[in-house]
Amino acid sequence: MKFFVDTADIAEIRELADAGLLDGVTTNPSLIMKADRPMKDIVAEICDVVDGPVSAEVTATDYASMVREGKILAEIADNVCIKLPLTLDGLKACKDLTGEGYLVNVTLCFSAVQALLAAKAGATFISPFIGRLDDINLDGMQLIADIRRIYDNYEFETEILAASIRTMNHVREAALIGADVCTVPPATLKGLVKHPLTDKGLDQFLADWKKTGQTIG
Ligand code: G3P
């Protein structure tokens, strides 16, 4: 499973990329707002740091303007992935843009039939939002399982990009189901390495090693 980080914070992205943990990045208009800098500068900087797909979202809502904005964003770098909302206009723009060879991430997916339509429109990635479904007492992870099954039934190549990830358990379950990618906020991604027994075990090993009086080199 690939790991993308869900942020527009370039410092966080650099840290995770240096640790070798990143296969890509996802941004959205809310994350750009938090970063409080010009979107095109942010996307260009991220694309310099990360070789994998960097999702940059259009803000137009009609087909023609979505295609126009998508192409402007894709000019920033070869690894820009145009992010489009899951609407009729978005799917039409997806079909055209992927037909021309652009990478497209169809976002704001909340149902399996929406994901089916995105795959039929040739989406490179589909982004089902797990956490936001859990927030309203629906089962976000069931959606990932349903989409996996549907895509496998018909051999769609669209990659399932599990989004709106809130917990370590979301990552674990998405991996067990076979999501192709998880996009994870920086703090959650860094938290995946943590386990209290790892810390406790390391403390014990180091204390015992000190008692031997030895050094390795
Ligand atoms: O980038 C899309 C998605 O991951 C948003 O997550 O936490 O705002 O629901 P969240």
Side-chain angles (χ1 to χ4, degrees):
M1 188 177 68
K2 288 174 269 191
F3 277 119
F4 290 1
V5 66
D6 199 26
T7 185
D9 182 328
I10 190 72
E12 296 272 24
I13 291 166
R14 275 186 212 285
E15 187 188 350
L16 290 161
D18 285 350
L21 288 177
L22 283 194
D23 299 301
V25 176
T26 50
T27 67
N28 62 40
S30 304
L31 294 170
I32 298 290
M33 181 196 71
K34 277 188 207 155
D36 196 22
R37 294 175 47 222
M39 177 189 186
K40 288 183 197 167
D41 293 356
I42 294 173
V43 173
E45 277 181 44
I46 299 174
C47 289
D48 268 352
V49 173
V50 178
D51 292 332
V54 174
S55 289
E57 190 159 343
V58 304
T59 51
T61 54
D62 67 279
Y63 156 76
S65 308
M66 282 177 172
V67 170
R68 189 181 56 79
E69 285 189 5
K71 288 183 177 179
I72 291 170
L73 293 172
E75 270 173 25
I76 297 172
D78 288 345
N79 54 331
V80 166
C81 178
I82 302 164
K83 208 172 184 188
L84 300 170
L86 212 159
T87 61
L88 213 47
D89 284 62
L91 292 177
K92 193 173 168 204
C94 174
K95 181 118 193 135
D96 283 10
L97 288 166
T98 53
E100 288 184 45
Y102 292 98
L103 300 173
V104 171
N105 174 1
V106 176
T107 190
L108 291 166
C109 172
F110 293 95
S111 80
V113 288
Q114 284 182 317
L116 177 56
L117 292 177
K120 287 179 74 69
T124 318
F125 299 102
I126 182 68
S127 288
F129 279 30
I130 297 170
R132 292 192 195 184
L133 284 167
D134 290 354
D135 287 345
I136 56 166
N137 293 319
L138 294 174
D139 187 348
M141 207 50 69
Q142 185 59 48
L143 175 58
I144 303 295
D146 288 351
I147 298 171
R148 180 73 283 154
R149 189 161 164 200
I150 290 168
Y151 282 9
D152 289 350
N153 281 348
Y154 299 101
E155 297 180 2
F156 284 120
E157 287 178 9
T158 299
E159 293 191 41
I160 302 173
L161 197 174
S164 190
I165 294 273
R166 305 276 166 77
T167 64
M168 188 190 306
N169 214 32
H170 278 159
V171 176
R172 176 183 159 274
E173 288 184 41
L176 284 170
I177 290 167
D180 301 284
V181 190
C182 261
T183 189
V184 187
T188 311
L189 191 47
K190 283 189 262 181
L192 298 182
V193 78
K194 289 274 177 201
H195 196 288
L197 290 180
T198 304
D199 295 341
K200 190 179 169 198
L202 183 59
D203 286 348
Q204 181 68 56
F205 286 157
L206 294 179
D208 289 345
W209 177 246
K210 204 170 171 188
K211 286 179 204 157
T212 71
Q214 299 181 44
T215 57
I216 290 176

